[in-house]
C-alpha cells in the first residue's frame, strides 16, 4: 500500500513539475494545485498506512491509525484552498492587465 | 506556563480580524492599528525582560503537554526577534500614515498589515515545525496581498512570480515536514532534537536537513535562490517595501538558525560547511548586483541579499562569538534596512522617482533628510562607531580565529563594495545639480521623516552601546549552542 501511494505521489510531483515549467500562467497555477495534492498524500503516507484500524481510542489499543497526519493534512488543505483561490484571481488579473498569459512576454524589461 | 508568550501573536491577529469590519472608516482603523502595534511592542518588551530574568517561557496550547500538543517557546533569541519585528511594525505603520493612499487604506491595508505581523511573530515564537509552516503561510498570504495592493501592471506581473515561487517553496516545506514525521515521528522541535540525538544524524536526516535548508534559503533569499527578491520588492510602496525588506527574509534566516542550532547540529562538518559556502556566494553576488544597479530601491534590495549572507556566515562558523555576531547583525540589519527603505520613500515623495540618474541636489533643499540617510548608509557599510561596525567585527574576528580566511576575505571585500554603493546613492541623489523642480524642493517632509528618526537613533545607540548589546547577543548565542536548555524547558526534565 505504501509503495502504491509513493508511486502516486511521485507521479503527482512529476506532473506538477512539468506543468510549472511551462510558459502559460494557468498551467503554472494548475501545477501548484497538483503539487499541493502530492504533498498532502505524502504526509498521509509518511504517517504509516493502516488498513481498517480505528483511530486511537485508549492507551491500551493494540493497533491504531495515527490521527496526527490527518489533522496536519486538514490544516494544509485549508491553507492551499485559500492560496489557490488567491492565485487564481491574481493570475486572472495579471492576464487582464497584460493581455497575455505567456510568461516569456511577462519577463519585464531592464529599463523600467 | 506563561500566557504572555502568545500575546504578540494574538493581539495583531484578533484586532486585524475586527478591523475588517471597519474597512470603510480609515480614521478609526489608523487609531486602532497604531494602538495595537504600540501595545504589541510593549508586550514584547515585557516578555523579553521576563525571559531574560527568569529563563525560557513556554506555553502549551489547550494544556496538552509537549510533545503532544502545540507549544509556544519564548527564548532570548525569539523574544529579541519579536521586539525587532514590533519596532519595524510601529515605524513602518507611522510612515505609512503619511505616504499610503486612501484607496489602499480602504482595501484592507491595516488588517493585512496586522496579519503579517501576527504571522512573523508566530513563526518566531512557535516550538512546533508544522505550526511554523502555518505561521509562514499566514505571513506569506498577508505579504501576497500587501505586495500586489494597488494593482499596477508592474506589481501584478512581479507579484505573480513572487507568489508562485513562495507557494512552491511552501510545498517543499510541507514535504520536508512529512519526511521529518516519517523519520522521527514527531514535529515538536525540542522532541526532534532529542530523537536525533538518540538515533544519530544519519543519511536520511541529512537529506531532510538540506531540503529544509533549501526551503528557508528560498524564503530568506540565499544564493542561488535570491533571484525573485529585487524585482518583487521594487513594486510596492516604500512603507510596505521597508516592512518586507526588514522582516520577511529574516524569518527564513531565523528558521535556519533555529533548526541548525537545535535539531541538525550533529554533522557540522557537512551541513555547516554547506551553509558557509552559501553565505560566501550570497554576500558576493548580492553586493555585485547592488554595485551594478542605478536605482535607489533596487540597490537596497540587492543589499538585503548580501547582508543575509553575513547572518548565515555566523551560523556557518558556529562558534559562540560568530553566532553572537550574526545575532547582532540581524538586529542591526532589521533596523538599518527598514530605515533605508523608508528614506528611499522619502526621497521618492520629493523627486517622484527612484532612478538615481534623475535625482540630485537633495542635500541643498532637504539637508536633514540627507544627513540622516548618510548616518544610516555608513552604518550599513560598517563604519565605526555605528552599529554596522560592531556587528561585523565579531564575525570577521571569529572567521580569523577559526582559520576561515576565504569567507573572511569575502566578507571584508563585500563591506568595501557596500560602502561604495551606498556612497553612490549619496553622491548621485544628494550631491550635484538640483534636478527636481523648486516646487518639489519646497515640499515639507517633516511628517514623513519623523517616524524614521527613532530608527536612526537606534542605529547610533546600537553602535555606542555596543558593550551591553553584544553581551546580550553573546548570551543568546550561548543559549543557542546549548540546546539542552531549550529542550529541558519545553519537555521538562
Amino acid at each position: 500500500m505504501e509503495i502504491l501511494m509513493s508511486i502516486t505521489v511521485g507521479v503527482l510531483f512529476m506532473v506538477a513539475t512539468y506543468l510549472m515549467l511551462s510558459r502559460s500562467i494557468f498551467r503554472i497555477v494548475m501545477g501548484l494545485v497538483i503539487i499541493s495534492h502530492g504533498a498532502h498524500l505524502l504526509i498521509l503516507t509518511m504517517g504509516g498506512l493502516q488498513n481498517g484500524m480505528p483511530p486511537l481510542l485508549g492507551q491500551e489499543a493494540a493497533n491504531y491509525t495515527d490521527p496526527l497526519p490527518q489533522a496536519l493534512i486538514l490544516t494544509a488543505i485549508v491553507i492551499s484552498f485559500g492560496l489557490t483561490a488567491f492565485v487564481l484571481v491574481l493570475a486572472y488579473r495579471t492576464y487582464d492587465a497584460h493581455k497575455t498569459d505567456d510568461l516569456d512576454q511577462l519577463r519585464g524589461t531592464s529599463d523600467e | 506556563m506563561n500566557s504572555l508568550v502568545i500575546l504578540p501573536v494574538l493581539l495583531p491577529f484578533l484586532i486585524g480580524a475586527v478591523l475588517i469590519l471597519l474597512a470603510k472608516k480609515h480614521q478609526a482603523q489608523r487609531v486602532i492599528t497604531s494602538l495595537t502595534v504600540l501595545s504589541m511592542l510593549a508586550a514584547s518588551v515585557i516578555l523579553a525582560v521576563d525571559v531574560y530574568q527568569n529563563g525560557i517561557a513556554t506555553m502549551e496550547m489547550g494544556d496538552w503537554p509537549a510533545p503532544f500538543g502545540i507549544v509556544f517557546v519564548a527564548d532570548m533569541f525569539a523574544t529579541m526577534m519579536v521586539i525587532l519585528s514590533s519596532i519595524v511594525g510601529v515605524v513602518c505603520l507611522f510612515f505609512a500614515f503619511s505616504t499610503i493612499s486612501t484607496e489602499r487604506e480602504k482595501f484592507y491595508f491595516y488588517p493585512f498589515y496586522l496579519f503579517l505581523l501576527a504571522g512573523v511573530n508566530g513563526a518566531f515564537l512557535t516550538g512546533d515545525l508544522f505550526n511554523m509552516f502555518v505561521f509562514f503561510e499566514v505571513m506569506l498570504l498577508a505579504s501576497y496581498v500587501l505586495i500586489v495592493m494597488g494593482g499596477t501592471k508592474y506589481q501584478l506581473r512581479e507579484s505573480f512570480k513572487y507568489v508562485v515561487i513562495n507557494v512552491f517553496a511552501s510545498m517543499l516545506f510541507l514535504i520536508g515536514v512529512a519526511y521529518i514525521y516519517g523519520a522521527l515521528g514527531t514535529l515538536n522541535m525540542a522532541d526532534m532534537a532529542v530523537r536525533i540525538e538518540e538515533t544519530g544524524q544519519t543519511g536520511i536526516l541529512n537529506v531532510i536537513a538540506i531540503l529544509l535548508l533549501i526551503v528557508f534559503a528560498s524564503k530568506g533569499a540565499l544564493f542561488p535562490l535570491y533571484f525573485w527578491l529585487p524585482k518583487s520588492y521594487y513594486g510596492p510602496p516604500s512603507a510596505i517595501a521597508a516592512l518586507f525588506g526588514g522582516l520577511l527574509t529574516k524569518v527564513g534566516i531565523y528558521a535556519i538558525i533555529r533548526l541548525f542550532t537545535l535539531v541538525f547540529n550533529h554533522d557540522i562538518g557537512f551541513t555547516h560547511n554547506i551553509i558557509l559556502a552559501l553565505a560566501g556566494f550570497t554576500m558576493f553576488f548580492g553586493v555585485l548586483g547592488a554595485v551594478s544597479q542605478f536605482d535607489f530601491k533596487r540597490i537596497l534590495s540587492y543589499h538585503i541579499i548580501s547582508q543575509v549572507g553575513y547572518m548565515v556566515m555566523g551560523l556557518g562558523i558556529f562558534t559562540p562569538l560568530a553566532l553572537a555576531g550574526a545575532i547582532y547583525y540581524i538586529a542591526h540589519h532589521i533596523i538599518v534596512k527598514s530605515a533605508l527603505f523608508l528614506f528611499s520613500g522619502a526621497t521618492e515623495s520629493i523627486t517622484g522617482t527612484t532612478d538615481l540618474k534623475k535625482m540630485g541636489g537633495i542635500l541643498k533643499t532637504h539637508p536633514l533628510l540627507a544627513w540622516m540617510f548618510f548616518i544610516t548608509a555608513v552604518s550599513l557599510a560598517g563604519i565605526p562607531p555605528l552599529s554596522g561596525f560592531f556587528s561585523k567585527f565579531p564575525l570577521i574576528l571569529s572567521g580569523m580565529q577559526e582559520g576561515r580566511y576565504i569567507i573572511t576575505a569575502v566578507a571584508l571585500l563585500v563591506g568595501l563594495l557596500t560602502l561604495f554603493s551606498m556612497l553612490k546613492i549619496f553622491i548621485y541623489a544628494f550631491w550635484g545639480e538640483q534636478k527636481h523642480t523648486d516646487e518639489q524642493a519646497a515640499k515639507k517632509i517633516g511628517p514623513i521623516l519623523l517616524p524614521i528618526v527613532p530608527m536612526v537613533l537606534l542605529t547610533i545607540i546600537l553602535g555606542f552601546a555596543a558593550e551591553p548589546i553584544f553581551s546580550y547577543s553573546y548570551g543568546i548565542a550561548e543559549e543557542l549552542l546549548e540546546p539542552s536548555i531549550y529542550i529541558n524547558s519545553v519537555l521538562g526534565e
Side-chain angles (χ1 to χ4, degrees), chain B residues 139-473:
Chain B
M139 166 188 102
L140 287 171
L141 244 172
S143 81
Y144 303 155
V145 176
L146 288 178
I147 208 168
V148 80
M149 194 175 271
T152 61
K153 278 176 96 167
Y154 182 91
Q155 274 182 311
L156 283 168
R157 192 182 72 212
E158 295 307 326
S159 313
F160 182 74
K161 298 170 194 169
Y162 171 80
V163 171
V164 167
I165 289 160
N166 272 300
V167 173
F168 182 69
S170 298
M171 286 307 137
L172 284 185
F173 193 173
L174 205 54
I175 292 165
V177 166
Y179 284 150
I180 284 213
Y181 190 69
L184 297 174
T186 181
L187 291 172
N188 181 293
M189 287 197 274
D191 202 26
M192 275 157 58
V194 172
R195 299 207 183 175
I196 286 194
E197 212 169 313
E198 285 164 4
T199 61
Q201 195 172 331
T202 49
I204 179 74
L205 287 166
N206 272 337
V207 174
I208 297 171
I210 297 301
L211 179 66
L212 288 174
L213 180 64
I214 292 172
V215 171
F216 295 125
S218 65
K219 310 235 187 236
L222 285 184
F223 174 85
L225 302 164
Y226 59 72
F227 51 85
W228 53 269
L229 190 142
K231 277 191 166 179
S232 49
Y233 281 16
Y234 181 75
S238 301
I240 297 173
L243 185 70
F244 283 18
L247 285 183
L248 290 197
T249 50
K250 261 54 73 186
V251 185
I253 301 305
Y254 169 86
I256 291 179
I257 292 181
R258 174 66 76 206
L259 280 180
F260 283 86
T261 54
L262 178 66
V263 183
F264 302 113
N265 56 359
H266 302 286
D267 196 356
I268 290 167
F270 175 65
T271 49
H272 287 64
N273 278 339
I274 291 182
I275 291 175
L276 204 57
L278 286 182
F281 284 118
T282 311
M283 281 193 271
F284 190 63
F285 286 110
V287 84
L288 282 191
V291 167
S292 70
Q293 293 293 325
F294 256 95
D295 186 284
F296 204 148
K297 269 190 186 171
R298 291 228 167 110
I299 291 178
L300 294 179
S301 308
Y302 274 103
H303 273 301
I304 297 178
I305 299 165
S306 80
Q307 275 141 21
V308 156
Y310 281 102
M311 302 163 199
V312 184
M313 169 186 164
L315 175 67
I317 297 173
F318 211 60
T319 60
L321 184 63
L323 211 51
I327 289 156
Y328 202 146
Y329 203 92
I330 292 178
H332 148 76
H333 172 91
I334 289 182
I335 286 169
V336 168
K337 184 54 77 181
S338 313
L340 285 174
F341 266 106
L342 295 179
F343 282 126
S344 83
T347 54
E348 193 180 357
S349 77
I350 297 170
T351 61
T353 176
T354 58
D355 189 347
L356 287 181
K357 286 176 182 158
K358 292 179 191 154
M359 295 204 242
I362 301 178
L363 184 61
K364 253 181 237 156
T365 55
H366 298 88
L368 187 62
L369 166 69
W371 291 117
M372 271 164 62
F373 170 80
F374 185 73
I375 293 174
T376 327
V378 294
S379 169
L380 186 80
I383 302 292
L386 298 163
S387 59
F389 174 76
F390 291 104
S391 52
K392 272 178 195 166
F393 183 67
L395 286 171
I396 306 283
L397 185 66
S398 59
M400 294 283 193
Q401 281 174 353
E402 296 298 304
R404 311 271 192 175
Y405 296 117
I406 300 175
I407 190 90
T408 313
V410 171
L412 287 171
L413 177 70
V414 169
L416 196 65
L417 290 173
T418 308
L419 182 62
F420 167 71
S421 56
M422 279 299 131
L423 287 183
K424 185 167 84 180
I425 296 183
F426 193 70
I427 289 168
Y428 275 91
F430 294 95
W431 279 357
E433 291 285 305
Q434 181 182 331
K435 289 184 185 161
H436 47 282
T437 59
D438 287 336
E439 197 180 323
Q440 284 172 322
K443 190 175 159 94
K444 292 268 179 290
I445 50 163
I448 299 179
L449 281 186
L450 196 60
I452 324 179
V453 174
M455 302 294 247
V456 180
L457 288 180
L458 267 175
T459 180
I460 297 173
I461 291 169
L462 277 179
F464 277 97
E467 174 72 36
I469 290 160
F470 182 76
S471 63
Y472 185 68
S473 11

Side-chain angles (χ1 to χ4, degrees), chain B residues 44-53 74-84 320 323-325 327-328 331 462 465-480:
Chain B
S44 60
V45 171
I46 294 169
L47 180 65
V49 171
D50 184 51
V51 168
Y52 184 70
Q53 286 168 344
D75 65 346
M76 275 163 70
F77 188 31
T79 49
M80 188 197 81
M81 298 301 284
V82 171
I83 290 183
L84 288 170
L323 211 51
I327 289 156
Y328 202 146
L462 277 179
E467 174 72 36
I469 290 160
F470 182 76
S471 63
Y472 185 68
S473 11
Y474 200 80
I476 296 177
E478 281 181 328
E479 196 177 85
L480 284 176

Side-chain angles (χ1 to χ4, degrees), chain A residues 13 20 25 35-36 42-43 46 66 68-69 72 79 83 86-87 90 93-94 97-98 106-108 112, chain B residues 130 137 144-145 148 153-154 156-157 160-161 163-164 167-168 171 174-175 178-179 181-182 187 231 298:
Chain A
F13 283 169
M20 265 188 278
I25 284 185
I35 200 174
S36 71
L42 184 73
I43 298 178
M46 279 292 159
D66 189 352
L68 189 66
L72 300 184
I79 291 173
L83 272 177
F86 179 80
V87 175
L90 181 64
R93 283 287 309 273
T94 311
H98 290 271
L106 294 175
R107 186 172 290 228
E112 342 168 88
Chain B
F130 188 78
E137 289 309 303
Y144 303 155
V145 176
V148 80
K153 278 176 96 167
Y154 182 91
L156 283 168
R157 192 182 72 212
F160 182 74
K161 298 170 194 169
V163 171
V164 167
V167 173
F168 182 69
M171 286 307 137
L174 205 54
I175 292 165
Y179 284 150
Y181 190 69
L187 291 172
K231 277 191 166 179
R298 291 228 167 110

Side-chain angles (χ1 to χ4, degrees), chain B residues 93-138:
Chain B
L93 182 76
F94 282 98
F95 187 83
F97 285 160
S98 50
T99 53
I100 216 105
S101 63
T102 336
E103 278 79 46
R104 283 198 173 89
E105 287 186 320
K106 282 183 182 153
F107 274 99
Y108 308 102
F109 173 75
Y110 296 115
F112 281 105
Y113 190 93
L114 290 176
F115 289 152
L116 184 103
L117 289 175
V120 170
N121 287 345
F124 290 149
L125 286 171
T126 184
D128 182 283
L129 195 63
F130 188 78
N131 200 236
M132 189 190 263
F133 164 76
V134 173
F135 277 116
F136 260 88
E137 289 309 303
V138 171

